[in-house]
Every structure is written in structure tokens, then in C-alpha cells.
Amino acid sequence: KQEVTQIPAALSVPEGENLVLNCSFTDSAIYNLQWFRQDPGKGLTSLLLIQSSQREQTSGRLNASLDKSSGRSTLYIAASQPGDSATYLCAVRPATNSGGSNYKLTFGKGTLLTVNP
Amino acid sequence: GAVVSQHPSWVICKSGTSVKIECRSLDFQATTMFWYRQFPKQSLMLMATSNEGSKATYEQGVEKDKFLINHASLTLSTLTVTSAHPEDSSFYICSALRRAGTQREQYFGPGTRLTVT
């Protein structure tokens, strides 16, 4: 059974700081990994999706890396801003032919990020 | 594009009553939708996979007679919580699977906050 762990559970940084969020997963047989942002009481916004064959994806100040063999991914946020404050969730999709629905996502508990002005 | 809506955004009901939550894909058709539940500071847990025109597939431990799912059209899935109890109070999020060529990606709704008194 796939398990996704995110460290740290919470992080507080001053505005302008660069930061790294970590995600690890126990089963390396994944199709892709996705990072989401969730604001309090809201749904999920997809930030970056990395296919299993890729090493990293970038969007603006965000960069996500994937090391499938070691079961790790990181989300790097450059020059953090107060508007980046949210919970960041990591989710993995199983590789095809792994049984059951191939589209089911397994989520971590998230990292609550607070960027202080 | 790829917008998913949920209705209502929040609902309060009395113990023993039933509540229906709607999930709609607004600008694409979705033969597959997913229902998740999220408790405070916890991860999203998949409850069931909703398939248009057929029965939903429930995850282990989820009571299918309590959480009724109907996916009657390509843009609408409903989750009915029957005989709700306070322990059913949670944040319910749906997602719709968008198929574009060989790409498959889940798009999430904004969530529904259910409080059972």
C-alpha cells in the first residue's frame, strides 16, 4: 500500500526566503507525482505535475524535482511571499497495471506554510 | 478550462437526515469522478470512484449504503450522505478526470463543508 509522507508538517519563514518542502513515497511504481496548493476551507489548485520519466518541472518561482528510485520529491519556492501561505499537498498516481483504478491519487498530509511579512 | 464546481459549499444538517452534494464538470465531460473526504489537518482520503452509467467503486472501509453515489450524466456526480451523524462532519471534495489525448488529469472542486449537529 502506497504511503506518502510530507516533512515538515508546518513551516514558518520570513518573506523573501527560499524554501524547500519534502515529499516521500514508499512505492516507487508511480506514473506521476503532483503538487497542490490548498487554501483554508478551499479545494485544491494544481501547481506542478511531474511524470515518472521526468526529473523536474518549473513554473514561475516554483520548482519541483522527482527522484523516483529513492521515492522522493521536493518543492522549491523561491523568494517566498505572504500570498504563498497555504497548505501544500503532494500526491502520487500509481503506475499502470498496478491493480485497481490507475487514476487514484494517494495524498500526503501536507505542509502548512506561513510566510510572514 | 477544466473547471469543477460543487454545491453546496457548506451545509449544516441535523443528525439522522440526509444530505446531497453535487459535483459538476463545467467545461468538459467526465466519465470518471472521485469523492474524497478530508478531516482537519489530515490528508484527503479517497472514498469512492464514480463511473458514469455504472455503479461506484468504494474504497475499503467506506459504507456504500451510507454514502450513495450517482453519476447520471457526463458532467454530474452526486454524493448523498444518508442518516448523517456528527462523525460524518467533514470536508468533502470531488474531482473529475479529464481526458485529453493520452493525458489524464484530475481537476478538483472547491469542496463542501458538512456539519452534522
Side-chain angles (χ1 to χ4, degrees):
Chain A
K1 179 185 173 184
Q2 178 75 272
E3 292 183 4
V4 179
T5 303
Q6 291 187 244
I7 295 173
L11 180 64
S12 181
V13 300
E15 181 177 4
E17 191 163 298
N18 303 325
L19 58 100
V20 174
L21 307 180
N22 297 290
C23 172
S24 61
F25 45 95
T26 55
D27 186 348
S28 61
I30 66 169
Y31 186 79
N32 61 38
L33 182 146
Q34 202 163 358
W35 283 92
F36 295 89
R37 169 186 174 138
Q38 184 177 31
D39 292 289
K42 303 294 184 182
L44 276 63
T45 301
S46 179
L47 298 174
L48 291 165
L49 186 152
I50 311 177
Q51 302 294 344
S52 62
S53 60
Q54 298 176 321
R55 299 281 297 182
E56 65 178 340
Q57 281 286 340
T58 298
S59 176
R61 294 182 293 107
L62 306 179
N63 176 279
S65 68
L66 173 64
D67 184 342
K68 193 178 77 166
S69 60
S70 68
R72 297 178 187 275
S73 175
T74 61
L75 178 67
Y76 175 83
I77 302 177
S80 59
Q81 303 171 356
D84 295 331
S85 299
T87 296
Y88 290 81
L89 296 166
C90 164
V92 297
R93 176 185 156 186
T96 55
N97 301 320
S98 62
S101 169
N102 294 327
Y103 306 115
K104 293 196 292 187
L105 299 179
T106 301
F107 284 84
K109 291 184 178 181
T111 294
L112 175 61
L113 173 65
T114 303
V115 181
N116 302 301
Chain B
V3 178
V4 177
S5 70
Q6 280 185 243
H7 178 80
S9 56
W10 61 271
V11 57
I12 302 174
C13 71
K14 292 186 177 181
S15 186
T17 62
S18 296
V19 175
K20 179 184 287 187
I21 303 170
E22 294 184 348
C23 177
R24 294 181 184 272
S25 55
L26 299 184
D27 52 1
F28 66 99
Q29 294 183 333
T31 56
T32 304
M33 292 184 176
F34 301 90
W35 286 97
Y36 296 84
R37 181 167 51 182
Q38 185 180 34
F39 292 106
K41 298 186 178 181
Q42 296 298 312
S43 175
L44 274 75
M45 297 299 296
L46 180 65
M47 298 175 65
T49 302
S50 172
N51 304 297
E52 188 268 337
S54 64
K55 292 182 179 180
T57 304
Y58 291 82
E59 294 301 298
Q60 190 174 8
V62 177
E63 300 175 58
K64 62 180 181 181
D65 294 330
K66 179 171 183 62
F67 298 99
L68 302 180
I69 292 173
N70 184 17
H71 195 152
S73 78
L74 289 173
T75 59
L76 173 64
S77 174
T78 60
L79 169 69
T80 301
V81 183
T82 62
S83 187
H85 290 286
E87 57 264 32
D88 298 324
S89 298
S90 187
F91 193 56
Y92 292 85
I93 302 178
C94 74
S95 70
L97 186 67
R98 184 180 183 219
R99 304 170 192 263
T102 59
Q103 299 299 313
R104 306 285 186 267
E105 188 170 348
Q106 288 186 40
Y107 291 87
F108 287 80
T112 296
R113 171 74 58 193
L114 170 63
T115 302
V116 184
T117 61

